[in-house]
Amino acid sequence: MERSGPFYTGFVACLLIAALVCTTQAQYSGGSGATDDPYQIATADDLILLGQRHADYDKHFILTSDIDLAGDGGAPRVFARAVIAWDGAVPFSGVFHGNGHIISNLTIVGENYLGLFGRLDTAGAIVALGLESVDVSGNSDAGGLVGSNSGSVSRSHCTGTVEGNERVGGLVGNHSGSISSSYSTATVDGSENVGGLVGCGSGQIMNSYGAGAVHGETNVGGLLGQGRSSITSIVNCSSSGDVSGTARVGGLVGWNAGSIISSYSIGAVSGETEVAGLAAFNGGRITSCFWDIDTSGQVASDGGRGLASTEMLDAHTYIDGGWDFVGESLNGVCDYWQISPGEYPTLRCFSNGEIEMPAGAGTPAQPYLIRDTGDLGAVWLEPEAHFRLGASLDLEGIAWSMAPLPWFRGTFDGNGHVIANLRVRGGNYLGFVGILDSGGRVLDLGLEGVAISGAGQWIGGLVGDNRGVIRACYSTGTISGRSDVGGLAGGNHHTITSCYSTGKVSGDWRIGGLVGDNHAYAATCYSLATVRGEGAVGGLVGGNRGAVLCCVWDTGSSGLLGSNGGVGLTTAEMMVPETLGLNGFSSDPNWVLSAGNDYPRLAWQGTAGGPIPQPLVDWLDGQGSEAVPYQLVTANQLVRLSRAGGLAEKSFVLAGDLDLEGLPWHQAVIPYFVGSFDGRGHSIRNLSIEGESDLGLFGRLGFGAMILNLRLEEVHIIGTGDCVGALAGHNSHGSITNAHSRGAVAGDDDVGGLVGSNDNGSIADSSSHVTLNGDSSIGGLVGANWHGDIRGSCSTGAVNGVWASGGLVGYASGGDISDSYSTGAVHGVTRVGGLLGNGSGTAIVNTY
């Protein structure tokens, strides 16, 4: 054939296209990268290809065979950087399932972010992967498996050597995510923040251990070199290698500002200053922890309990301390640990033989089916899989020292069933789920008769700290802790909808009937719980930096008239269709109500009742739209509006002046608002509030909120918490124009004559003449301005604070302040200014 002309050219083009298509379809050794069809990694070339394909970093992968990374002839193949995600700007955010296989002879000589993975993103996960005979040498953020981890590592291990300068660990160099059921026997050498398992960390480490020798200078530990902050939580861990250094050296942890729970250390320890067997310098709590005084040579520690070697080899030591072993149910049914005579505990997941999972495939179409407590005890093995409850469970007689699901990012479908009598007593992150991470979901589940007690924070009936989605669930029972304690969730950083809680909730700080500390979104929920605490305590929510929309609590059963979000109703009102409808429950099909007989119940519970009907707003003229807004004529209408959270997105106008004399409030009149409110130049007089946080006519203004042409006269507001202002406690992305206030306002932090905290909001052509008293971030117009814009505004009242007191703004970070002034007297102790008390990055133009 003649090899020229249009036919030949087209033929060759077709072959090239076909080859390209085949290559694309045949990348790796199979799979499509989907959750239920992960890319298959079978060879070293597959692994290296993955490292080169940044576009695949958010996909799913599974190792199908062991891989030896030694070069031809057995000579080491030397990498100059991490094999995967070596670029600090492009971390791995997918799922890599090792499937129990081993990658051996990884050799790296480089600089930063070194390990098989350089960086693991918050959404990334590594499961069931072994690394053996690693040889990693670099500068900072170096680990055998991951250089810098913000995601999840579980059921993984590492052997070999890891060397570096700072943040050097046998498994992970720098850690801010979750590590569970993992270990390292690697020898680790470094200078600062050097650990047998983790070099430096601020996340969770659970049921894990380091057994290699660790040598460094400062912040050196057999398990963890340095725990960076109070959110470091180490649970049921140990270390057994030789540990040496010069300052802040510990058999388990060199320096920790977090908490260590149920851990032990058995390695020899040597050093010069601040040296101890378990933790040389610990700024947090250490409970139910052990170290071997014989092998470590140390008789003192900054926490924990030193024992002789004979006691350290006794299973009862750990069972009495709350560790969950095979063959006992006193501490749960997860069976993380096993122990043989004369040996220290080891992790069951690395023993010979596969651990049987419940029936199913763990996919959305075929979830694992949980039928008994044995099935429940296996959920932790696949924390990113899909599970469905096939029957209600009674956990009577079983106690837990940590959440049954310590860390979970899959889907747990309660399927309309109930788990009864959950008993948990431990430290941090306690509940049925300790941490529900990003992407995780818990649906249609009831927890009845829980008894959960924590010595620390993030304690909830269902979830300790929620970063995922909780929908159509409830919790009843007794929950207690130190801070961030809630009947349903201790902390909420994502979404809770259509849920409720009952029982008793108690603690010290940020205590709520439903959520202890809310940073995100909660909607159409309620609480009946009795709530007790010392500060930031609410019938529904304790602390709040997010949106609480269409939520209510029972003021009678809770014993509280205030909450940092939500609407308080009497017991009778909680059973009235009209009242619940005005608070948004009629728009949620998850609820049913037997009017006058019972509280709202979830539809899947099968109780008597029917859907909650839409409310009739016949007590206001207008339609609530921008074109035809609702008309506020009387003070009584404003009172009714304050108890109608479902109208938070509507438009309102004042038809005349209102006098609120004799109408005291214990929280903001309108707790959450994202609609428009036009005062039309009218005044609201004698607003009186005595409560905790987020106080003002509006508690929180959300995105899209518009307040204009309104005067507040003779306000009297006293708060014992933060975010207190005459008009709004917190303005988040809202708009305030031509608003004016006069009176007196007091609080703790972020206290302003008009707005307490202005977070990316705008304030224009407004003024305040308010006498202010507080502690920090006290400003005549705005207490704290976070990237907000203030223009054409002024303040003329007296400001009295301690730190960051300013005539116009107490504290400012970013944003613009223009064409504004202040004339009031300002008194304070530190960072005091006639216009601005303290701030950085704020543009100030034409102000005085």
Side-chain angles (χ1 to χ4, degrees):
M1 183 190 338
E2 183 182 14
R3 297 186 179 184
S4 63
F7 173 80
Y8 180 77
T9 303
F11 175 73
V12 172
C14 288
L15 287 177
L16 290 173
I17 292 171
L20 180 61
V21 171
C22 289
T23 301
T24 301
Q25 291 177 343
Q27 64 181 350
Y28 311 115
S29 291
S32 65
T35 305
D36 54 354
D37 185 30
Y39 285 129
Q40 297 175 21
I41 304 297
T43 66
D45 288 341
D46 286 342
L47 197 64
I48 293 170
L49 177 62
L50 164 57
Q52 296 169 346
R53 295 183 61 87
H54 291 185
D56 288 343
Y57 280 6
D58 62 347
K59 305 297 190 300
H60 288 248
F61 298 84
I62 188 168
L63 198 59
T64 58
S65 63
D66 294 345
I67 294 177
D68 190 340
L69 290 176
D72 295 336
R77 181 188 336 217
V78 181
F79 294 86
R81 57 193 184 188
V83 179
I84 303 165
W86 62 84
D87 185 349
V90 187
F92 183 80
S93 58
V95 176
F96 191 100
H97 202 301
N99 202 24
H101 288 294
I102 302 296
I103 295 174
S104 58
N105 295 309
L106 169 66
T107 301
I108 305 175
V109 179
E111 285 294 322
N112 305 322
Y113 298 119
L114 301 185
L116 180 68
F117 293 80
R119 285 188 65 197
L120 191 65
D121 188 59
T122 54
I126 301 171
V127 182
L129 176 61
L131 287 175
E132 296 189 353
S133 301
V134 305
D135 187 356
V136 177
S137 179
N139 181 30
S140 65
D141 294 347
L145 181 63
V146 184
S148 180
N149 172 48
S150 297
S152 164
V153 174
S154 63
R155 295 162 53 202
S156 298
H157 74 275
C158 179
T159 72
T161 62
V162 181
E163 299 178 356
N165 182 25
E166 59 179 344
R167 298 187 296 277
V168 185
L171 193 74
V172 174
N174 194 7
H175 173 62
S176 60
S178 171
I179 297 175
S180 62
S181 300
S182 299
Y183 73 88
S184 171
T185 63
T187 298
V188 185
D189 284 281
S191 176
E192 183 178 0
N193 299 337
V194 185
L197 189 78
V198 173
C200 184
S202 61
Q204 265 201 326
I205 307 174
M206 304 171 287
N207 297 316
S208 300
Y209 64 89
V214 185
H215 309 289
E217 294 180 7
T218 305
N219 301 340
V220 185
L223 184 82
L224 171 67
Q226 179 191 12
R228 280 193 300 261
S229 71
S230 61
I231 62 173
T232 305
S233 178
I234 306 175
V235 185
N236 294 2
C237 295
S238 69
S239 65
S240 58
D242 174 73
V243 181
S244 63
T246 57
R248 288 179 172 172
V249 182
L252 189 79
V253 176
W255 177 34
N256 180 41
S259 60
I260 307 175
I261 305 163
S262 304
S263 304
Y264 73 87
S265 164
I266 57 176
V269 181
S270 63
E272 296 180 6
T273 61
E274 294 180 308
V275 181
L278 181 66
F281 183 87
N282 176 44
R285 299 170 311 280
I286 300 179
T287 61
S288 188
C289 303
F290 315 100
W291 82 92
D292 192 315
I293 60 176
D294 295 329
T295 58
S296 70
Q298 302 294 326
V299 296
S301 170
D302 191 35
R305 182 182 177 193
L307 300 174
S309 294
T310 53
E311 296 174 283
M312 293 291 292
L313 303 178
D314 186 347
H316 292 94
T317 297
Y318 309 101
I319 294 174
D320 293 344
W323 292 39
D324 188 348
F325 277 80
V326 174
E328 59 83 33
S329 61
L330 294 175
N331 300 318
V333 295
C334 294
D335 297 346
Y336 300 110
W337 297 94
Q338 59 187 16
I339 190 169
S340 299
E343 296 182 1
Y344 296 103
T346 59
L347 291 163
R348 179 179 67 121
C349 62
F350 293 103
S351 62
N352 294 329
E354 293 186 1
I355 302 174
E356 185 177 354
M357 292 297 294
T363 64
Q366 293 180 290
Y368 290 123
L369 188 63
I370 300 172
R371 299 155 298 185
D372 53 35
T373 56
D375 289 340
L376 181 64
V379 174
W380 71 272
L381 288 161
E382 295 290 348
E384 302 203 22
H386 293 255
F387 296 85
R388 178 176 295 154
L389 200 55
S392 292
L393 304 179
D394 191 339
L395 304 182
E396 185 68 39
I398 303 173
W400 311 73
S401 63
M402 57 194 302
L405 280 61
W407 179 90
F408 189 72
R409 197 162 66 184
T411 296
F412 193 98
D413 181 0
N415 197 25
H417 291 296
V418 172
I419 295 176
N421 298 309
L422 171 65
R423 302 286 187 269
V424 184
R425 185 180 181 87
N428 299 333
Y429 299 109
L430 300 185
F432 177 65
V433 182
I435 294 177
L436 182 64
D437 215 340
S438 176
R441 301 190 304 161
V442 179
L443 317 170
D444 301 334
L445 175 65
L447 289 174
E448 295 185 355
V450 304
I452 299 178
S453 175
Q457 58 191 138
W458 298 297
I459 318 294
L462 179 66
V463 174
D465 187 16
N466 174 49
R467 306 167 190 175
V469 174
I470 304 173
R471 189 187 71 207
C473 297
Y474 71 87
S475 171
T476 74
T478 303
I479 300 98
S480 64
R482 184 174 60 87
S483 67
D484 305 298
V485 183
L488 189 84
N492 177 42
H493 292 85
H494 201 279
T495 303
I496 299 175
T497 58
S498 311
C499 295
Y500 72 91
S501 60
T502 73
K504 297 180 180 180
V505 183
S506 61
D508 295 332
W509 185 255
R510 294 189 296 270
I511 314 299
L514 185 83
V515 176
D517 192 20
N518 178 58
H519 285 257
Y521 182 76
T524 54
C525 298
Y526 74 85
S527 173
L528 312 177
T530 301
V531 185
R532 296 293 181 267
E534 299 299 323
V537 183
L540 185 83
V541 175
N544 183 28
R545 286 293 182 273
V548 178
L549 181 63
C550 298
C551 294
V552 298
W553 83 92
D554 188 324
T555 58
S557 62
S558 71
L560 294 175
L561 297 176
S563 169
N564 207 347
V567 173
L569 302 175
T570 67
T571 300
E573 289 173 324
M574 292 284 292
M575 303 180 188
V576 176
E578 179 75 9
T579 305
L580 293 168
L582 286 170
N583 282 285
F585 282 69
S586 57
S587 301
D588 189 340
N590 289 292
W591 295 108
V592 296
L593 178 70
S594 177
N597 300 312
D598 195 6
Y599 295 99
R601 301 294 176 182
L602 293 167
W604 63 257
Q605 289 184 262
T607 58
I612 299 172
Q614 290 288 338
L616 181 63
V617 188
D618 57 358
W619 42 278
L620 287 174
D621 290 334
Q623 300 174 5
S625 64
E626 290 185 15
V628 188
Y630 286 130
Q631 304 278 324
L632 285 169
V633 180
T634 68
N636 184 61
Q637 289 175 326
L638 184 62
V639 171
R640 295 189 69 174
L641 176 60
S642 73
R643 302 161 69 79
L647 302 182
E649 299 175 333
K650 302 298 183 180
S651 296
F652 299 85
V653 297
L654 269 185
D657 295 344
L658 300 182
D659 192 338
L660 306 183
E661 182 72 31
L663 295 172
W665 269 272
H666 299 278
Q667 65 177 75
V669 176
I670 302 174
Y672 181 74
F673 191 71
V674 290
S676 67
F677 193 105
D678 187 349
R680 291 189 173 176
H682 294 296
S683 299
I684 295 177
R685 305 179 66 86
N686 295 311
L687 170 62
S688 178
I689 307 175
E690 291 190 14
E692 284 206 0
S693 300
D694 278 8
L695 301 184
L697 179 67
F698 299 91
R700 299 183 71 84
L701 297 174
F703 188 85
M706 294 176 56
I707 312 298
L708 60 160
N709 308 322
L710 177 64
R711 293 184 174 277
L712 296 173
E713 303 284 350
E714 299 178 50
V715 300
H716 181 79
I717 301 176
I718 299 176
T720 58
D722 55 6
C723 297
V724 183
L727 179 68
H730 193 117
N731 176 30
S732 178
H733 298 85
S735 171
I736 299 170
T737 305
N738 192 26
H740 311 275
S741 61
R742 299 178 69 88
V745 174
D748 190 359
D749 302 331
D750 299 353
V751 182
L754 192 73
V755 174
S757 178
N758 186 43
D759 182 1
N760 286 277
S762 67
I763 301 173
D765 305 323
S766 299
S767 70
S768 67
H769 183 79
V770 172
T771 299
L772 291 163
N773 288 279
D775 187 4
S776 63
S777 300
I778 315 300
L781 188 80
V782 173
N785 186 59
W786 303 94
H787 304 283
D789 293 332
I790 301 171
R791 64 183 185 277
S793 300
C794 68
S795 59
T796 58
V799 178
N800 303 288
V802 178
W803 182 87
S805 304
L808 189 77
V809 176
Y811 176 84
S813 176
D816 297 325
I817 302 175
S818 60
D819 302 314
S820 300
Y821 68 90
S822 64
T823 62
V826 181
H827 303 281
V829 177
T830 306
R831 303 294 173 88
V832 182
L835 182 79
L836 173 64
N838 186 62
S840 61
T842 301
I844 301 176
V845 181
N846 295 332
T847 60
Y848 62 92

